[in-house]
Every structure is written in C-alpha cells, then in structure tokens.
Amino acid sequence: MTIEILQTGKLLASCEAALAERYAVHKLHEQADPNAWLAENGARILAHAGSGVQADLMDALPNLEIIASFGVGYDNIDTKSAKARNIRVTNTPNVLNDAVAELTIGMMIALARRIPQSDQFVRQGKWPNANFGLFTELTGKTVGILGLGRIGKEIAVRAQAMKMRVVYHGRKRQPSEPHIFYENLVDMARDSDCLVIIAPGGAGTDRIVSREVLTALGPKGMLINVARGTLVDEPALLELLQTGGLGGAALDVFENEPQVPEAFFALENVVLSPHQGSATHQTRDAMGALLVANLDAHFAGEPLISAVV
Ligand code: NAP
Ligand code: 8YV
C-alpha cells in the first residue's frame, strides 16, 4: 500500500524528489480549494512533511501519525495538540549547526566592521572623496550567548577562535562548559559587547530580550539575532537603534517575516539578512535528508532519528 503524505508548502527540490520516490505526495498549497480537498481526502493522509502545523490541520487529518518538520525550530508546530493526538513530531537538529554558526559570526563581523555599508561606499564611488571611517574590532570583546545549545556551542568555538571571551545565559548552568554562566540576562547584557540570540522561539522566550536587556547592552552594544524575531521586543529595538541607546544590530530573523519594518532600512547601524542561517546547499540537503529519514524510520517501525514529540 502506498503511504499518502501531505505537503502544505514548497520544500527543497532534493527533499521533494526523495519524498516522491517513496510516498504518494499531495500538495495542499497547489489545490484550488484546500478545504474541500482536505474534507474529501484528509483521512488518507498519514504524514505531514514541511513546517507550520496547527490543531485545525490536525483535525482535518484524523489519521495523521507523524509531522516531519524541515528545520530545527518547531515553534510553528502545535506540539501540545500533536501529543494529545498521539502524533509524532520530528525536526532536523545538528546538521545545520555549522551553517548557522558561520552566518552568526559573519553577521557579527559585518556589523562591527560595517561590511555591507563599506561595500555600498565603494560601489557608489564615494571612496575618492572621503574615508569610510573607523569601527569596532571584535578581538578581546565579550560575546554573551543567549542559548548555549547545539548551535550556540558552535558559535562559542568560533568566537573563541577570534579571541573573544564567551559567556552565556540559559535556564540552567551547564557544568561541563568552561564559560561563565549568567543566571540573569540583563546582567549578562550589561557585561557583554555582543549579545547573540540563539535560543528557541515560543511562549517561553517571547520578548525575552526586552527593552531592559537592550538598554543594558547599551550604546556600544551589538545585538545579533539568528534565532527567532519573537525573542526580541522589536519596537524597543528599533527605537533604541534610532536614538543611540543601542550600538547596532545584525538581524537574520524578524517578528513578522518576511515583512521587515521599513524603519530598519534607513539605519546605518544594522545589518539585515532574510533568514539565511541554514541556507547553504550542503546544509539544506542534509536537513531534507533527515526529514525523509525520520519518515522512513517511522513507517519502517524503527526508532525516530530526531523526535521532539
Ligand atoms: P538547542 O540545542 O535546543 O539549544 C537551545 C538553547 O536555548 C539551550 O541552550 C537552552 O538552554 C536555551 N533555552 C531554551 N529555552 C530557554 C529559555 N526559556 N530561556 C533561556 N534559554 C533557553 O537548539 P539549537 O539547535 O541550538 O537551535 C536554537 C534555535 O535556533 C532554534 O530553535 C531555531 O529557532 C533557531 N534557528 C535559526 C536558524 C536560522 O536560520 N536563523 C537556523 C536554525 C535554528 P537551557 O535548556 O539551559 O535553557
Ligand atoms: C529554517 C530555521 O527552518 O531550522 C530552523 O529552525 O530557522 C531554518 O533552518 C529554514 O530556513 C527552513 O525554513
């Protein structure tokens, strides 16, 4: 019997090809009337591949067994509802650690040295008439990592290689880690030159980087967010960047992606990126392969490789 699975959005081509080889794949986003399609066919669907599954979709798929998510963060999946319905949920951890850590370091240097702005300076023919200016060096600075998890640890290694001091905040101290632990995020921000956000999104971290945290980071402080926009009080961030209360920000993620408040575009002290943390061929292929491997394991009756529920 061919197993029928559902996509609700486009996936990476290599991932879609691998799914199509193994399963009968239905694409809800290509249906003229998705609700009518669900009413007629929803009961045949055993798996969802992609991301962003809420309780109403689970209700429309009464025989759903597994949600295989593309990405490590699963804040856009209602895991509580999934658990209540005995639906398994998998994600794609670890295979993206290096790519995200690389982008984080890249954005941190880009912000400190104003690399995007200097590129524009040269392209716009301004160099013959002016010097671009002097900026900040990361060597010897302290980076506070909010979320010293799988990716956070890879960022720490790279920051140390750049002769930075690493400190961290999380819900608990990690005794095997050599870095100083801060129980209080405001205190860590006050003692840090750069604050890197790499903790999960969701209710537990909503606006955890508050106005108070940003103010503690201060007029010379740099915020680097590669986690989720929801972790930051975005209006406060914007205001502090505009008024000099915060030194700068490098942002890969935003509260309402892909919409970015236009006021950011006018600021010289920001570096913006369209959620590119894991966006390399190598990493995205590995994420797709892990998504498929989780589905294969499930339908073979084997243990899941990376289950969150
Ligand atoms: P992880 O291994 O689970 O690490 C998460 C870290 O956050 C842990 O150290 C955890 O420490 C800390 N944390 C969790 N809840 C917290 C809270 N309420 N307050 C403070 N710290 C908390 O996750 P990961 O694989 O490194 O991924 C982290 C996140 O990065 C993902 O969830 C995703 O949202 C984001 N991400 C973004 C991109 C991108 O493209 N920009 C790519 C991949 C991932 P404690 O348990 O000690 O609190
Ligand atoms: C996205 C990410 O999932 O893994 C995560 O949590 O944020 C990213 O890797 C990826 O951009 C696919 O949408």
Side-chain angles (χ1 to χ4, degrees), residues 228-246:
R228 290 289 183 264
T230 54
L231 279 90
V232 182
D233 181 341
E234 203 170 77
L237 170 64
L238 191 49
E239 188 198 311
L240 289 165
L241 286 167
Q242 285 167 330
T243 57
L246 181 67

Side-chain angles (χ1 to χ4, degrees), residues 70-73 96 228 275 278 284 287:
F70 187 86
V72 66
L96 40 57
R228 290 289 183 264
H275 203 143
S278 66
R284 288 286 170 86
M287 290 164 67

Side-chain angles (χ1 to χ4, degrees), residues 51 76 121 133 159 166 175 207 229 239 292:
S51 59
N76 60 0
F121 182 83
V166 174
R207 294 202 175 186
E239 188 198 311
V292 175

Side-chain angles (χ1 to χ4, degrees), residues 43-295:
R44 299 204 312 273
I45 300 298
L46 301 187
H48 178 278
S51 59
V53 183
Q54 303 305 322
D56 55 346
L57 184 58
M58 297 176 205
D59 288 339
L61 306 173
N63 295 310
L64 190 66
E65 295 177 9
I66 180 168
I67 296 165
S69 184
F70 187 86
V72 66
Y74 50 89
D75 46 311
N76 60 0
I77 296 175
D78 183 347
T79 49
K80 208 170 152 197
S81 295
K83 200 170 183 175
R85 290 163 172 78
N86 275 326
I87 299 168
R88 307 300 309 276
V89 179
T90 62
N91 66 346
T92 61
N94 292 317
V95 294
L96 40 57
N97 295 351
D98 291 326
V100 182
E102 270 184 17
L103 188 81
T104 308
I105 297 295
M107 291 190 72
M108 194 154 65
I109 299 175
L111 174 63
R113 303 295 295 269
R114 299 291 194 270
I115 293 174
Q117 293 83 353
S118 65
D119 176 277
Q120 287 302 311
F121 182 83
V122 175
R123 284 173 199 259
Q124 290 166 3
K126 293 179 178 169
W127 192 10
N129 305 314
N131 291 322
F132 183 59
L134 306 181
F135 297 93
T136 304
E137 186 163 327
L138 295 174
T139 304
K141 298 283 191 305
T142 296
V143 56
I145 299 181
L146 164 53
L148 192 70
R150 291 170 293 232
I151 301 170
K153 289 185 178 76
E154 291 297 337
I155 295 169
V157 166
R158 286 159 175 78
Q160 286 183 304
M162 298 198 307
K163 304 182 188 173
M164 297 184 81
R165 177 175 164 262
V166 174
V167 299
Y168 72 103
H169 168 77
R171 289 165 302 182
K172 54 190 182 301
R173 183 191 303 274
Q174 300 183 47
S176 58
E177 291 303 318
H179 322 293
I180 289 176
F181 170 71
Y182 279 78
E183 227 167 88
N184 185 294
L185 180 55
V186 174
D187 289 343
M188 183 174 84
R190 190 173 296 117
D191 292 351
S192 298
D193 301 289
C194 302
L195 173 60
V196 169
I197 310 175
I198 189 64
T205 56
D206 199 36
R207 294 202 175 186
I208 188 173
V209 179
S210 60
R211 177 181 291 274
E212 192 188 0
V213 172
L214 296 169
T215 304
L217 189 56
K220 290 189 172 171
M222 293 175 264
L223 180 78
I224 298 93
N225 189 6
V226 285
R228 290 289 183 264
T230 54
L231 279 90
V232 182
D233 181 341
E234 203 170 77
L237 170 64
L238 191 49
E239 188 198 311
L240 289 165
L241 286 167
Q242 285 167 330
T243 57
L246 181 67
L251 308 170
D252 185 45
V253 288
F254 302 86
E255 197 166 4
N256 187 28
E257 291 174 14
Q259 306 307 323
V260 176
E262 269 190 37
F264 279 117
F265 304 165
L267 296 176
E268 281 295 311
N269 52 349
V270 301
V271 172
L272 305 172
S273 164
H275 203 143
Q276 290 289 95
S278 66
T280 69
H281 294 292
Q282 182 182 332
T283 287
R284 288 286 170 86
D285 282 343
M287 290 164 67
L290 182 49
L291 180 157
V292 175
N294 271 304
L295 286 180

